[in-house]
Amino acid sequence: MGDNSVATPPQPPGPGSPYGQPNPYQPTQPGPYDQPNPYGQPNPNPYADQIPAQGNPYAQQPTAPTAPPQQPGYGYPQPQVPPQQAGYGYPQQQPMAPADWSVPAPNGLTCRFCGGYPAVSTTVRAHRGLIFIMYFRRLPGPFCKTCGTAAIRDMSAQTLVQGWWGYGSSIITPVTLFINLFAYNKIKSLPEPAPNPPGPPMNPGKPLLQRPHALGFLLPILAILLIVVAVATSSSNNDAYVPSGGGGGYSVAPTTPSSGDSASVGDCVKNFGTDSAPSLQIVTCATGTYQVLQKLANTTSDTGCSSDTTQSFTHTEIGNDFVLCLKAYAG
């Protein structure tokens, strides 16, 4: 069985309904702030003229201008340390400002490698010896302190390793090292270069004495020791001078008590020196030695020696001249 009711629209509240009364809180006339603003500004504050003007206490106060930092003389400022720094009481150094590279260098010289200054004009050298062939290298400046130190260390290290291998190079190598030493004295007297140069500076690397190339300083000392040993060995193994013909005169300087100046007739002697500088000494008679046949005192002439004499030695000394008439020992 269906619903035959028909929906009807809501009726407006009647006079007795509390919801049909007007809102007592809604103004029916425009308020004082709803009137048009004669000054062109929306809703001006009518009490603004009663509030005294005050400055902004949080506005940043102007600071007094600070004096520019002093310049060291090469166009870049010295680092300035503020009077108070936080961080455990240690002052922190401010980073150094880059130099003004638009200002020319004080002496007009800039490093040829990095463009930095101050710089000095000098030349660094290197030498290489190949027995009979020699090579010379030179690297002119100007150099700053960093690049000049790198050039000195590198080219001197090459010279220490490659410069000794030649007859003339053994003399030129130390001369080259001394020239580099004079150049280094000029370079190390420079102050530190200005920071942030136009180009990258050379890497100085380790000092020369901390490199393996420093062993080259020992090569000349080793060569001298080898020469001394060779001469000493040759002198100890030198046989007595055996002439092929008749006798000849040689001057023997007095040395030790066992030298030839104390030899007597019948003693055997041997020359441990050379033809031009003989060193006659008394030895045990054996093959290769000479036996004294005669000793002619107060003379330097061997004309008094017998016919059996095959060799003579003349000793010359003030008040002690004598001649030894010798014959090869036959056993």
Side-chain angles (χ1 to χ4, degrees), residues 10 23 29-30 32 133 157 167 207 304:
N23 186 0
Q29 295 181 358
I133 304 176
Y167 296 103

Side-chain angles (χ1 to χ4, degrees), residues 112-113 120-127 136-143 147-157 159 176-177 179-184 187 202:
R112 59 170 296 188
F113 291 98
V120 66
S121 179
T122 186
T123 302
V124 184
R125 303 178 185 273
H127 179 72
F136 298 87
R137 294 176 53 199
R138 58 191 301 271
L139 184 63
F143 300 99
C147 296
T149 302
I152 289 287
R153 292 176 179 178
D154 182 63
M155 300 192 73
S156 297
T159 302
T176 302
L177 295 175
I179 293 176
N180 286 348
L181 180 61
F182 294 141
Y184 179 65
I187 292 172
M202 298 173 62

